[in-house]
């Protein structure tokens, strides 16, 4: 299971969201669970909830995704860096042929986008 936390999910995790906490626990404790935090989304989450970036980056089981050249080119075509980097990170790759699911507390943000989401507000 490959899951990308968008900036809203990261901020929610810092605020004690139970579903986000469960994802973090699974990524640490269960084989086959992978949790990714795109660096651009991490910056926005930290702006919304200071301390989020340092906390998430220190947790085992979380992979921080750098803004490499292909990601930067994808981000440059979108309005917000956080959403663009999250969407880019969820696309299929050699390691993730089916792509990843975006965990979010703002599912309306992803309406009409070619991504699968996991609503953390339920």
């Amino acid at each position: 299971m490959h899951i990308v936390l968008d900036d809203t999910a990261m901020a929610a995790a810092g605020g004690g969201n139970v579903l986000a906490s469960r994802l973090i626990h699974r990524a640490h404790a269960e084989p086959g669970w992978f949790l990714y935090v795109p660096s651009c989304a991490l910056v926005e989450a930290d702006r919304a909830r200071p301390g989020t970036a340092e906390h998430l980056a220190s947790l085992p089981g979380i992979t921080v995704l750098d803004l490499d050249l292909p990601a930067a080119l994808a981000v440059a075509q979108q309005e917000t860096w956080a959403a663009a980097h999250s969407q880019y990170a969820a696309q299929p790759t050699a390691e993730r042929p089916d792509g990843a699911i975006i965990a979010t507390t703002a599912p309306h943000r992803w309406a009409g986008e070619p991504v699968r989401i996991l609503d953390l507000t339920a």
Side-chain angles (χ1 to χ4, degrees), residues 49-76:
R49 186 172 182 82
T52 299
E54 187 174 344
H55 175 71
L56 285 174
S58 71
L59 294 174
I62 291 185
T63 302
V64 177
L65 301 175
D66 294 331
L67 185 64
D68 58 9
L69 179 58
L73 295 174
V75 165

Side-chain angles (χ1 to χ4, degrees), residues 10 14 16 20 35 49-50 52 66 69 79 88 97 107 116:
M10 291 182 221
L35 202 55
R49 186 172 182 82
T52 299
D66 294 331
L69 179 58
E79 283 188 37
Y88 174 79
R116 297 173 293 157

Side-chain angles (χ1 to χ4, degrees), residues 68-101:
D68 58 9
L69 179 58
L73 295 174
V75 165
Q77 298 174 12
Q78 301 290 330
E79 283 188 37
T80 67
W81 288 33
H85 199 187
S86 297
Q87 184 173 343
Y88 174 79
Q91 300 306 309
T93 65
E95 300 85 30
R96 300 181 302 275
D98 295 327
I101 298 167

